[in-house]
Amino acid sequence: MSGVTLTIVSLLPRLQNTNGDAQNAAVLAARATWAGLDARVVDVDRRDALPERVDAIVLGSGSDSSLEATRGTLLTMHDELRTWGTEGVPILAVGTGWELLSWGIELADGSAVEGLGVLPGRAVPRADRVTGDLVVSSPRFGTLVGFENHARDYVGAEGSPLGRVRAGSGNGRDAGQEGVVMGSVIGTHLHGPVLAKNPSFADALLGIASERARLEYRPGERTAIVDGYAAAAREAQLSAAGVALSASGPRA
């Protein structure tokens, strides 16, 4: 042990935990621990609960009824979020958590919720809700699988997507793209939680966090067992989504 404890912040887990998104923080902490690193998860529901050290951040998705409450709390951390993003702290935002970090959210009734402007693009209404398997080929993170469940498309981030859609809708509007990436800040529709289904995606984020903390991250022996379960689940989902394994690109 190096004496440095990796601190993974789970933002607003009580409001933003659709499909277990908040558990992405637990995945990061577990994999770091299996690699022989000290790691902890800190649940943060208000600004004064932020720890002094922040190595990675997870912000899950919530219901539309919680948009204003979540936005209000995130606004109190606006400066910190921008600083973390600028400094390269990995931030994973899913669903409405991602939308709230964007330029804004247009609602079906014609009203709008202003975003924090950390990520480019905005969420706009679609004719019907999309649900189902989502498979994405990411040049940075390999083939990602998950579940999408959203009533809005995402526009304005065509220049920096997380990846190309192989099955599902993703950002919609026939863009064939999913998510958005700016540095180490990532927004996505992928639920699951996404890091449990895509171990190498989790490892990539841990690699970024560890390097910033001047630590070396190498997946531990125990990850091989867990990753075997994840691989079986991924293959089943790829098959169900009609994506041939031989054409699915690098595995994640």
Side-chain angles (χ1 to χ4, degrees), residues 18-57:
T18 300
N19 298 114
D21 295 323
Q23 301 311 309
N24 284 309
V27 173
L28 290 175
R31 295 183 74 83
T33 300
W34 297 338
L37 302 176
D38 282 326
R40 64 171 181 156
V41 174
V42 177
D43 291 345
V44 172
D45 291 301
R46 61 188 190 281
R47 185 181 181 279
D48 61 8
L50 285 171
E52 183 175 346
R53 180 186 185 91
V54 175
D55 294 292
I57 299 148

Side-chain angles (χ1 to χ4, degrees), residues 96-107:
T96 64
W98 162 31
E99 293 176 344
L100 285 167
L101 295 187
S102 76
W103 297 333
I105 304 169
E106 298 177 14
L107 301 176

